[in-house]
Amino acid sequence: MMRLHGYWRSGTSYRVRIALNFKGVTYEQVAHDLRRGDQKGQAYLALQPQGLVPALEADGQVLIQSPAILEWLEERYPDPPLLPQDAGGKAQVRAMAAIIGCDIHPLNNLRILKALKNDLGADQAAINNWIARWISDGFTALEAMTGVHGGVFLFGDGPTLADVYLVPQIYSAERFGVDLSPFPRLTAAATAARALPAFAAADPAVQQDADPG
Amino acid sequence: MMRLHGYWRSGTSYRVRIALNFKGVTYEQVAHDLRRGDQKGQAYLALQPQGLVPALEADGQVLIQSPAILEWLEERYPDPPLLPQDAGGKAQVRAMAAIIGCDIHPLNNLRILKALKNDLGADQAAINNWIARWISDGFTALEAMTGVHGGVFLFGDGPTLADVYLVPQIYSAERFGVDLSPFPRLTAAATAARALPAFAAADPAVQQDADPG
């Protein structure tokens, strides 16, 4: 059985949980508490040399980096698909995913927020402004693209990789109190996606390692 | 003919130039001077709603986000390939690319460095430490992965997407004076890749908009 190393509130782990559920793949989870630094232990570093989650043990390999894991899942389990069939549609969906995966999420994850505080002396207000700025910048572009390509979901009327990236980023935006009112298309797509069983079962709040506190 | 909107020193534009050259695709370049903010003009924002380079006009579409453009090129022009044939190999190459594309480059691009200075009051020494930290963190993991998967290049003995991401990141590291001595496998692969005509012709210094100053 596949084994997913992750953390309930990690956005990149959340993406992979959604895709595994959507593809109907059975997997077990190994939780690494990022607040305690569990992911920096020697045993885990042998699997993932960055000491970051997620990592997926599958087919005798260790797969790392959620964009690579998601593409691997799409190739290995093409049905049901998370990418359109045509090259042009694939490029639009992957661009939407990359706006979140490259230009929003990496700027706001735990190691960066710690560096802002510890190395640059940023206070919580400055950190919250930093988080909101990159989410709003990226979401503004994504809202415009959804106006062109979107339907019920970010791209057309079925869920794609773009929604797999969107939902965890919306979760993070809500957590940090970012104003989402300028992004009605994104919040509508996220609501539609969250209603699907694959997305609902991947929600951080229902993971075994979730901390209700 | 395809039209690539970019900037000579933009790492993500550099990636796309390498891949276009490697695939033997003919293209013209439109330069946007990022220092002057050319990419924030209304005409360009209609093509790329983030106001970021690159964007590729191709087949009557506008493609944005270098990870999506590179995958599109691989699908549309599969020969010569920049990904291995097997799903497992593809996942390793894409993971290497994502370490650079998600966990190094986005933290160090121009808009972020400006925000560190203007919003958080970081001085040049703090900014240089910031740059070096994320490059060194990512390169340390990439050096370990190259020890497992590498040959002449990052993955085996032929160039892949991983090298397409590596060379612009090495260029950036050199520009900011980051110590690369802990990464002998990466510097060897980058040297091998830079010797290939496709990579050499994509070098920032030989672009028409290059500023020798």
Side-chain angles (χ1 to χ4, degrees):
Chain A
M1 191 194 300
M2 288 192 199
R3 181 179 295 169
L4 176 65
H5 297 263
Y7 177 59
W8 64 291
R9 217 155 56 175
S10 145
T12 49
S13 305
Y14 190 177
R15 287 177 201 158
V16 176
R17 290 196 300 266
I18 294 169
L20 286 166
N21 296 345
F22 190 78
K23 301 288 187 182
V25 176
T26 310
Y27 62 103
E28 60 180 16
Q29 294 196 58
V30 182
H32 299 265
D33 191 332
L34 305 191
R35 294 164 305 184
R36 287 196 321 225
D38 285 1
Q39 76 285 9
K40 300 294 181 189
Q42 283 307 314
Y44 186 66
L45 282 173
L47 291 181
Q48 213 293 2
Q50 296 181 277
L52 296 173
V53 291
L56 183 68
E57 294 186 72
D59 293 2
Q61 275 200 310
V62 183
L63 307 175
I64 69 166
Q65 283 286 338
S66 65
I69 295 171
L70 293 167
E71 292 282 351
W72 181 86
L73 282 170
E74 184 67 9
E75 182 165 352
R76 189 84 170 64
Y77 302 93
D79 189 41
L82 281 168
L83 284 172
Q85 294 306 302
D86 64 301
K90 282 195 186 90
Q92 298 300 337
V93 167
R94 285 179 171 135
M96 290 173 151
I99 288 175
I100 294 170
C102 298
D103 291 339
I104 300 178
H105 180 272
L107 300 166
N108 292 345
N109 72 10
L110 190 58
R111 66 184 187 136
I112 305 303
L113 305 184
K114 276 188 178 170
L116 292 176
K117 182 180 173 188
N118 298 337
D119 299 350
L120 299 176
D123 60 18
Q124 196 56 48
I127 289 174
N128 286 347
N129 284 341
W130 172 277
I131 291 170
R133 174 175 179 176
W134 307 122
I135 290 178
S136 296
D137 265 21
F139 275 7
T140 298
L142 207 51
E143 181 79 8
M145 290 180 77
T146 305
V148 178
H149 300 289
V152 174
F153 297 96
L154 286 194
F155 186 90
D157 291 328
T160 66
L161 274 186
D163 305 288
V164 170
Y165 280 72
L166 175 68
V167 165
Q169 192 60 61
I170 290 274
Y171 168 84
S172 170
E174 290 167 345
R175 187 178 152 211
F176 288 106
V178 177
D179 177 18
L180 293 177
S181 64
F183 314 113
R185 296 185 188 105
L186 304 188
T187 52
T191 300
R194 280 168 156 170
L196 300 174
F199 286 73
D203 193 278
V206 299
Q207 305 310 305
Q208 287 204 331
D209 58 326
D211 176 357
Chain B
M1 192 193 297
M2 287 192 199
R3 182 180 294 168
L4 176 63
H5 296 264
Y7 177 59
W8 64 291
R9 215 155 58 174
S10 144
T12 50
S13 304
Y14 190 177
R15 286 177 201 160
V16 176
R17 290 195 302 264
I18 294 169
L20 286 165
N21 296 344
F22 190 79
K23 300 289 187 182
V25 177
T26 310
Y27 62 103
E28 60 180 16
Q29 293 198 57
V30 182
H32 299 266
D33 191 332
L34 305 191
R35 294 165 304 184
R36 287 196 321 224
D38 286 1
Q39 75 286 10
K40 299 295 181 188
Q42 283 306 315
Y44 186 67
L45 281 172
L47 291 181
Q48 212 294 1
Q50 296 180 278
L52 297 174
V53 291
L56 183 68
E57 295 186 73
D59 292 3
Q61 274 200 311
V62 182
L63 308 175
I64 69 168
Q65 283 286 339
S66 66
I69 295 171
L70 294 168
E71 290 284 351
W72 181 86
L73 282 170
E74 184 67 8
E75 181 165 352
R76 188 86 170 63
Y77 301 92
D79 189 40
L82 281 168
L83 283 172
Q85 294 306 300
D86 64 302
K90 283 194 186 90
Q92 298 301 337
V93 168
R94 285 179 173 135
M96 290 172 150
I99 288 175
I100 293 171
C102 298
D103 291 339
I104 300 179
H105 179 271
L107 301 166
N108 292 346
N109 73 10
L110 190 58
R111 65 183 189 138
I112 305 304
L113 304 184
K114 276 187 179 172
L116 292 175
K117 181 179 174 190
N118 298 335
D119 300 350
L120 298 176
D123 61 18
Q124 195 56 47
I127 289 175
N128 287 347
N129 285 342
W130 172 276
I131 291 170
R133 174 175 179 177
W134 307 121
I135 290 177
S136 296
D137 266 21
F139 274 7
T140 299
L142 207 51
E143 181 80 9
M145 291 180 75
T146 304
V148 178
H149 300 290
V152 174
F153 297 97
L154 286 195
F155 185 90
D157 291 327
T160 66
L161 273 186
D163 305 287
V164 171
Y165 280 72
L166 175 68
V167 166
Q169 193 59 63
I170 289 275
Y171 168 83
S172 171
E174 290 168 345
R175 188 178 150 210
F176 289 105
V178 176
D179 177 19
L180 293 176
S181 64
F183 315 112
R185 295 185 188 105
L186 304 189
T187 52
T191 300
R194 279 168 155 170
L196 300 175
F199 287 72
D203 193 278
V206 300
Q207 305 311 304
Q208 285 205 332
D209 59 325
D211 176 356

